Amino acid sequence: MDRFNQTSPVVGFILLGLSAHPRLEKTFFVLILLMYLVILLGNGVLILATILDSRLHTPMYFFLGNLSFLDICYTTSSVPLILDSFLTPRKTISFSACFGQMFLSFAMGATECVLLGMMAFDRYVAICNPLRYSMVMNKAIYIPMAAGSWAAGITNSVVQTSQAMRLPFCGDKVINHFTCEILAVLKLACADISMNVISMVVANVIFLGVPVLFIFVSYVFIIATILRIPSAEGKKKAFSTCSAHLTVVVIFYGTILFMYGKPKSRDPLGEDKQDLSDKLTSLFYGVVTPMLNPIIYSLRNKDVKAAVKNLVHQ
């Protein structure tokens, strides 16, 4: 009978968040709220600029508009939940809302991985084969590339989320995170999760490993081509067209590697500090990176900077 009660249908979960650090909650509420507003404003302006300014009607800026829209969707799927957790004493979330948020976050994260790879290919063609750029990167090519990125990310999210939803959950159902992060949720399952783990490993290879390798190879060819340009001005101009994308890639993947690649502490006293560090790193990945993307592209790209200025002054 007890076993039946433990594995009965889940009504909801409790999000732990920063409950163990109440003094930080108000500070982070203000900080995250301000960052979220900057994300909405910065990425919103960038989307409008890529739509309204005819100079930005190129494959590179089409991908950039997709990236900005994706960042808005990604943060909107989690930030309101995080802000609410800072203010609500009993941080509960329903089963459906939890997995809905998990689905959106997973879909946006996987889509961004693929999209950054597509953007690297665009830069490779532009710099290594400039005479063939308009023929290779035409609408019949770059629109399906972007659509394929979204389709791949959403498909992966459907697979991962549906597998997690079928698991039985028992115990107090406390998620030690701000949101319904899949690894934190899987820890609450009272069933074998080996298939979930295998599925996630395969997905990580496809959506992290393959795009990183693709981006690395693309930039090897890009850098080799730039180094062969005789004039310093030509090298500077060529590098400026891909420096923003490269900066975004380094921040995006660098944060992921830092989150999941650092060693775990075996010291019981250090585990609490590491737990806080892991949560704050996750927060950085989920909020700071989408906030920096429009800033990086605006500062490092003359066309975007000019388009944004025209939009603001209209």
Side-chain angles (χ1 to χ4, degrees), residues 58-73:
T58 64
M60 177 174 132
Y61 299 116
F62 175 76
F63 287 129
L64 179 57
N66 273 263
L67 183 65
S68 293
F69 179 69
L70 191 152
D71 283 338
I72 289 175
C73 293

Side-chain angles (χ1 to χ4, degrees), residues 197-239:
V197 173
I198 292 170
S199 178
M200 286 187 65
V201 169
V202 172
N204 286 340
V205 171
I206 295 172
F207 289 93
L208 287 175
V210 173
V212 166
L213 181 62
F214 187 78
I215 291 167
F216 176 77
V217 172
S218 297
Y219 272 99
V220 167
F221 284 105
I222 288 170
I223 292 169
T225 302
I226 291 174
L227 292 176
R228 288 199 297 269
I229 298 174
S231 67
E233 185 63 29
K235 289 179 180 177
K236 183 180 178 181
K237 185 178 180 180
F239 185 72

Side-chain angles (χ1 to χ4, degrees), residues 46 49-50 53 55-56 58 60-61 64 241 297-310:
L46 210 52
T50 58
D53 196 308
R55 292 172 298 178
L56 303 186
T58 64
M60 177 174 132
Y61 299 116
L64 179 57
T241 64
Y297 273 98
S298 297
L299 292 177
R300 290 182 170 270
N301 190 294
K302 291 180 181 179
D303 292 335
V304 173
K305 195 185 294 184
V308 170
K309 283 183 180 178
N310 290 338

Side-chain angles (χ1 to χ4, degrees), residues 21 52 65 92 107 111 113 123 165 169 186 193 209 211 235 242-243 251 265-266 272 281 301 304:
H21 309 274
L52 300 177
T92 57
T111 301
C113 290
R123 292 300 83 208
M165 286 180 71
F169 297 94
L186 289 179
I193 61 168
K235 289 179 180 177
C242 59
S243 60
I251 293 173
S265 174
R266 295 185 179 181
D272 187 53
T281 305
N301 190 294
V304 173

